[in-house]
Amino acid sequence: METGSKVPLSQDDLSLRELDSGNINVVQNEDEQKNSRIFEGCFKRSNSGGWSSAFILLANQALATLAFFGAGVNLVLFLTRVLGQDNASAANNVSLWTGTVYLCSFIGAFLSDSYWGRYLTCAIFQVIFVVGLALLSLSSSLFLLKPEGCGDGKLMCAPNSSFGSTMFYIAIYLVALGYGGHQPTLATFGADQFDESDAKQKVSKSVFFCYFYFALNVGSLFSNTILVYFEDSGKWAVGFWVSTGSAVTALLSFLLGSGGYRYLKSYGNPLPRVAQVFVAAMRKWNLKCANGEELYEVEGSESAIKGSRKILHSNEFQCLDKAATITDDDRRGVANPWRLCTITQVEESKCILRMLPIWLCTIIYSVVFTQMASLFVEQGDVMDAYIGKFHLPAASMSAFDICSVLICTGIYRQILVPLAGRLSGNTRGITELQRMGVGLIIGMLAMIAAGITEIERLKRAVPNKHSSSLSILWQIPQYMLVGASEVFMYVGQLEFFNGQAPDGIKSFGSSLCMASISLGNYVSSMLVNMVMGITKKGSRPGWIPENLNDGHMDRFYFLIAALTAVDFLIYVLCAKWYNCINLDEDNTVAQPKNIVIVTTDGGSKQQEEEMLNRV
């Protein structure tokens, strides 16, 4: 294999000037060099965006979350009281549904990044969300809640018709699709309102993610207190209709703010770009990897992915660098993007591969998080829920989780960040990876607290009854710990995945946070099935039976705590290995880079076609 002379390759015009012994020298047409900033022309309005638009989106987030949790936070009790399902089945169905909600985030992220853009994607999925909630309200009122007031834990509902049950499941999965597709796109659309080229707005963008999660919890606070109380007392239809009204208000407020938003254009389908890298690398598998400075990249301030900043070369996954190595075959005939890719395109694929281990380590934490919507509620439902004469619904205990998030968010932003900044020299306090590690530890402590509560509950179990004399207030520590862990884990995830995702897949980065919750729900459901399959044998009722007084749910909590501890150790190793994305922040024209042309036949070839733009 012979190595030719080093040549600069232009983005818009590459012409052959000299051919000598199989080596080619290509010079850039200097007229095509542009002194432009990377994001010029990407925004429809240069004077739009900022906090005025961001606050509208934060209000939209709060209202949409109020609507979602108004329908979902008490779903496990709706399934047991209205549809007559047992505890294990209801917990599994809630986990599967919640998992589907967040799995739909991939659909919204893909459409947003590739075709529709953030604004249109948010609008369409919010319409689907409203339709799902309206159908849920109608199906429950007309077919399921018979007689009126049933489902309060005392009055049994009449057997459901197959049509009513079918309409119910269609409705809740439309809600899952609408809310799931809307969430990651809204987070990214909110971040788009701040221009990263401005130092002040770059800081505001980081703060926005804290406020975004804060708004989520403000919205869910109403759902987890007022709406849960109505639903627990049998007024399910009222709760569902209020949720529908909140979703409609969220949609209208979003549309009314259309004139002031900053809009980013979509970057095209990323799937072919990623596939091209792997195919091109495989086709050149037998080649020796070239040095980083000798790989193919277009000239100018923009990358080949229009509107996206360039990404500098990294040393991980060097086998993929072969996709950016130029051979004689690349110089023959028509340009083929399945044979030659730019450094930025290769690095985009590397970024995805680097983020995957970190993302996988967050799934076990999501198993911890999902217990609030299932087993925590079932545990609280068989505890003493009376404070004097007032009955505290089990699902409303999640209000302590929300309050914990609100309090800890303020403490983190106002106290921990400045303190950690002075100690570490990092103006952002601690890194996103460190925050997620802290979240894992606190989540593990929450499971230990839940297990201890369950041990005490079993000690005070009322014989021959599905209840215990232990006060439901014993659940406060586990809810508070989960809330504190969310501030570190989920806010850290939003910042980390959005910041580490290349420009062309920002919504995909935000969706990884929600997809973690999705898989956490599926893993939780799988764990419940495995545990019941192993522990429920013969006369043994299993760890999570119909009558929780006969089971050992505390052991299930401790099992999750042990899995979280193992997951934390693996996470530390992944975090130490991880290298952050290295964006080319220089918006001026880059000097021509030298590239080695590799000839595969060892002979001298004369080539007179122009080297075309590869992507």
Side-chain angles (χ1 to χ4, degrees), residues 9-14 296-299 303-306 334-337 340 342 345 610-615:
L9 296 176
S10 161
Q11 177 180 0
D12 300 312
D13 181 50
L14 297 176
Y296 171 54
E297 181 60 281
V298 297
E299 297 302 332
S303 71
I305 305 170
K306 299 301 181 183
V334 180
N336 184 1
L340 182 63
T342 64
Q345 191 177 351
E610 291 184 350
M611 182 72 74
L612 301 176
N613 190 355
R614 297 306 183 185
V615 179

Side-chain angles (χ1 to χ4, degrees), residues 457-488:
R457 192 195 68 79
L458 290 173
K459 289 180 181 178
R460 295 167 175 78
V462 179
N464 302 321
K465 289 187 178 181
H466 294 200
S467 62
S468 171
S469 61
L470 186 69
S471 172
I472 197 173
L473 298 181
W474 271 67
Q475 284 192 312
I476 292 178
Q478 64 203 59
Y479 277 105
M480 295 288 286
L481 285 170
V482 171
S485 68
E486 289 176 57
V487 173
F488 289 92

Side-chain angles (χ1 to χ4, degrees), residues 76 79-80 85-96 373-375 378 524-525 528 544:
V76 67
L79 295 178
T80 55
Q85 298 180 6
D86 59 74
N87 286 329
S89 296
N92 276 341
N93 284 331
V94 170
S95 293
L96 291 173
S374 54
L375 293 185
E378 292 183 359
S524 176
S525 179
V528 170
I544 314 174

